[in-house]
Amino acid sequence: MASFGSSGSVFDKDTPILRLNHGKDPNARWVLWPLFAWRVVAPVPKERKLNLFQRAVLGLARAGVVRVDEVGDRLLIAPDLAGLVALELQQMALLDFAGRPTQRGLTMLEDIEEEPSDEAQVGHVLSDAFTGKLWPRFLTGDLPIASFEANDNGWPVLLSGSAGDPWKDRTCSILPSGRDSVVMARPSARDVLRVARLHRRQRQRDFEEIDDARDVPRLQRVSFVDDRPQPYLMALRVRRHDSGDWMVDDPFGHGEAVELRARFEARLDSDQRLRAWLAPLVGGDPNAPTLKHLQAEAEWKVEERLTLAIRQYELARDRIIAMQRALLEAQSYDAPLDKWDDVLVKAQRAVERALHIVYERYRDARPPLFTKLAQVDREFNRRFLDAMAADLHFQSPLPKTLSSVRRGKVQSAEQYGSGSLRPLVVLGLLCADRDDAHPLRLAARTSPDLLHRLDDLATARDRAAHDGTAAWPQKVQQHVDTTYAAVEALLLAR
């Protein structure tokens, strides 16, 4: 396996492009993905014209053995089977009705006296330039080189259609950067046989849906694999799924390419060009969005802000996606004003879940954390929490609505996992005071006003939960930003 830290000499804007998908789709997005094509030579056995029994019976007939019972004795098979084989040969005009070979039968025997030589099948297997992993495909025939032209910035534009009806598709090229290692892993013969077998099986399953005339041979061995592959960019079509999410089409016609989508997702956090290129595919018609479309768009926006790292916290991810989906609903042109209140309720739930997740590692704290608070002296608790916040470098004094949370509510949050945002924030402060590695300590350095903003969120949510005036959209957006900042600081900051 060869790995190259610098990829500039391997892939660039002029790298040849492979394209198997065509068709006019103005809503599709084309992504050019780097790969290596390894030329493979494999012997493929020729198809035999006669099976083993037919050859044996025809050979015996040429030697004068034509009685069915005698043929059965010579071949150690039942007479009925010998008679059936002779009947097949007669139907093929290789034996006459007396059981003697016809001229055609004699010619056939002469043609097959020697074992037919295997045909050399030349094909290609493809390996991912980033991982070196082989695609589960075996490409026969000539490589499908795409026609393209360069735009004003030198990037490829795919060309298709005819002279009278041309079509152009803009592209987004994923070229390895200086931070990427290009992996050139020469496949073994076993690897080639494995991917050819996988491709053949999938082709048999999807036979009626495949539009590609290329066959996948039944390989039994491999005689040659190139030492040095050729670099290409594979044109991959990305389009909107009916659910409002995005999907990658398998370039070989096997429906949705789930593994290719996973490779795209792995680069979304580091490649903002790719994220921006795919963003228009997410969601649905802005004039008539469905809940599925809004859900897909919310998932996209959450992972755009928090990166795919948020997936390791499934419950928190679900809560913040619910908040983002509610925000998209509230922003719809015909949404009632009370939808903005729903955003606040879901925003607070997202932060509460993040605080619960952080607290899990302190659940067995001894003595219990809430015992640091006085039972009835609220003034003592306010001064104590203000000093603690200042010591952690948060803005101090804290809002009175936060610093005067009753000890019983903090105790309930600690012992039973219940409670709303403010008791959980106080519990988080008590944890941070005891642990130098608590995420709130790091959050204070970058967002010293975070506790004040969380208190504002709790106040806005309380108003939204009771009868009163509707929340102003501008303020709701501020609370949404606070929620993102809090979840990132609590769960994702390093």
Side-chain angles (χ1 to χ4, degrees):
M1 176 185 298
S3 180
F4 303 90
S6 177
S7 56
S9 60
V10 181
F11 296 96
D12 56 31
K13 296 178 180 179
D14 297 321
T15 299
I17 299 171
L18 302 181
R19 185 182 190 184
L20 289 97
N21 301 98
H22 293 84
K24 299 179 180 180
D25 185 352
N27 298 317
R29 293 268 158 162
W30 288 87
V31 175
L32 305 183
W33 192 265
L35 54 77
F36 291 108
W38 303 81
R39 190 165 61 96
V40 173
V41 179
V44 178
K46 287 184 178 178
E47 184 179 355
R48 270 109 177 131
K49 298 178 182 179
L50 297 178
N51 62 37
L52 181 64
F53 286 137
Q54 290 170 339
R55 289 178 61 183
V57 171
L58 187 58
L60 287 173
R62 184 176 61 178
V65 181
V66 297
R67 292 179 52 186
V68 171
D69 54 349
E70 190 175 354
V71 170
D73 289 341
R74 294 286 186 94
L75 298 181
L76 301 179
I77 60 175
D80 289 348
L81 178 56
L84 178 62
V85 174
L87 181 60
E88 290 175 344
L89 292 171
Q90 289 173 346
Q91 292 172 344
M92 297 166 67
L94 301 179
L95 291 181
D96 61 19
F97 289 104
R100 292 186 295 269
T102 63
Q103 186 57 47
R104 182 180 178 185
L106 293 172
T107 302
M108 177 75 73
L109 278 175
E110 291 175 0
D111 291 342
I112 62 176
E113 285 293 346
E114 297 182 1
E115 285 291 325
S117 59
D118 294 338
E119 292 182 343
Q121 174 72 62
V122 179
H124 291 83
V125 292
L126 311 173
S127 66
D128 191 279
F130 295 112
T131 65
K133 185 177 180 181
L134 282 184
W135 290 26
R137 300 289 182 264
F138 185 88
L139 190 61
T140 58
D142 296 331
L143 290 175
I145 306 298
S147 297
F148 68 93
E149 64 182 19
N151 65 12
D152 294 340
N153 296 319
W155 294 106
V157 176
L158 297 174
L159 305 177
S160 59
S162 61
D165 187 21
W167 185 261
K168 296 183 179 182
D169 289 297
R170 295 187 302 122
T171 66
C172 176
S173 298
I174 307 302
L175 301 181
S177 67
R179 299 186 302 271
D180 294 308
S181 292
V182 174
V183 181
M184 190 184 297
R186 182 175 184 266
S188 67
R190 179 177 294 182
D191 294 330
V192 173
L193 294 175
R194 176 177 56 83
V195 298
R197 183 170 61 252
L198 290 173
H199 191 187
R200 185 178 178 85
R201 287 176 181 172
Q202 185 165 13
R203 189 177 178 84
Q204 290 171 344
R205 287 196 301 267
D206 303 339
F207 178 75
E208 295 182 356
E209 303 173 10
I210 295 176
D211 183 15
D212 185 2
R214 299 168 185 268
D215 190 21
V216 181
R218 189 188 301 275
L219 302 184
Q220 296 179 355
R221 62 186 188 276
V222 173
S223 57
F224 174 81
V225 179
D226 261 342
D227 290 329
R228 296 285 295 183
Q230 294 298 314
Y232 290 97
L233 297 174
M234 175 66 83
L236 300 172
R237 183 171 57 200
V238 190
R239 56 189 174 89
R240 179 183 291 127
H241 191 272
D242 293 340
S243 67
D245 202 357
W246 59 281
M247 61 175 286
V248 183
D249 284 333
D250 182 274
F252 290 80
H254 294 284
E256 182 176 0
V258 177
E259 186 172 349
L260 284 176
R261 168 171 169 144
R263 296 183 192 183
F264 280 28
E265 287 183 331
R267 297 193 65 83
L268 286 178
D269 291 343
S270 60
D271 194 331
Q272 292 305 309
R273 285 179 57 256
L274 177 61
R275 182 174 284 281
W277 183 247
L278 299 181
L281 297 176
V282 182
D285 182 355
N287 296 318
T290 67
L291 284 178
K292 283 185 177 180
H293 293 153
L294 292 175
Q295 175 72 14
E297 187 173 356
E299 291 176 3
W300 177 270
K301 289 184 177 296
V302 166
E303 292 181 351
E304 182 177 25
R305 290 193 65 164
L306 298 178
T307 75
L308 271 64
I310 191 61
R311 292 186 179 183
Q312 61 189 302
Y313 302 104
E314 184 177 356
L315 292 178
R317 178 179 180 270
D318 290 344
R319 297 286 193 276
I320 201 165
I321 286 174
M323 176 203 72
Q324 183 65 50
R325 187 185 65 242
L327 177 63
L328 294 172
E329 291 181 65
Q331 291 171 338
S332 301
Y333 73 98
D334 59 348
L337 282 178
D338 59 10
K339 279 293 180 185
W340 293 100
D341 294 339
D342 191 34
V343 179
L344 295 172
V345 172
K346 289 180 167 58
Q348 177 164 317
R349 290 186 66 196
V351 180
E352 289 171 352
R353 176 51 55 188
L355 287 165
H356 277 300
I357 291 172
V358 172
Y359 173 65
E360 279 299 316
R361 70 192 76 160
Y362 305 97
R363 181 165 296 281
D364 298 325
R366 292 292 179 270
L369 296 163
F370 75 89
T371 57
K372 288 191 173 184
L373 299 175
Q375 290 190 9
V376 294
D377 191 344
R378 291 197 175 187
E379 184 59 32
F380 169 83
N381 289 343
R382 278 199 297 269
R383 291 196 305 270
F384 176 68
L385 292 174
D386 285 343
M388 186 181 298
D391 184 58
L392 295 174
H393 303 293
F394 280 111
Q395 185 178 327
S396 183
L398 296 173
K400 289 187 177 180
T401 46
L402 181 59
S403 60
S404 47
V405 170
R406 291 189 297 109
R407 168 175 153 154
K409 289 190 174 183
V410 179
Q411 179 180 0
S412 179
E414 181 174 9
Q415 293 185 335
Y416 306 110
S418 60
S420 57
L421 181 56
R422 288 191 178 101
L424 287 169
V425 170
V426 172
L427 182 60
L429 274 175
L430 295 172
C431 292
D433 183 58
R434 186 175 293 188
D435 181 10
D436 291 341
H438 194 281
L440 277 180
R441 286 183 174 268
L442 182 60
R445 299 176 202 158
T446 56
S447 303
D449 63 340
L450 180 61
L451 300 185
H452 283 71
R453 292 164 62 188
L454 289 176
D455 185 76
D456 289 342
L457 169 61
T459 300
R461 183 267 174 197
D462 289 344
R463 289 174 180 166
H466 301 90
D467 188 28
T469 58
W472 287 96
Q474 307 94 299
K475 298 246 181 175
V476 172
Q477 184 60 59
Q478 293 174 11
H479 297 310
V480 167
D481 292 339
T482 295
T483 301
Y484 275 113
V487 171
E488 183 176 14
L490 291 167
L491 301 181
L492 305 178
R494 291 292 182 267

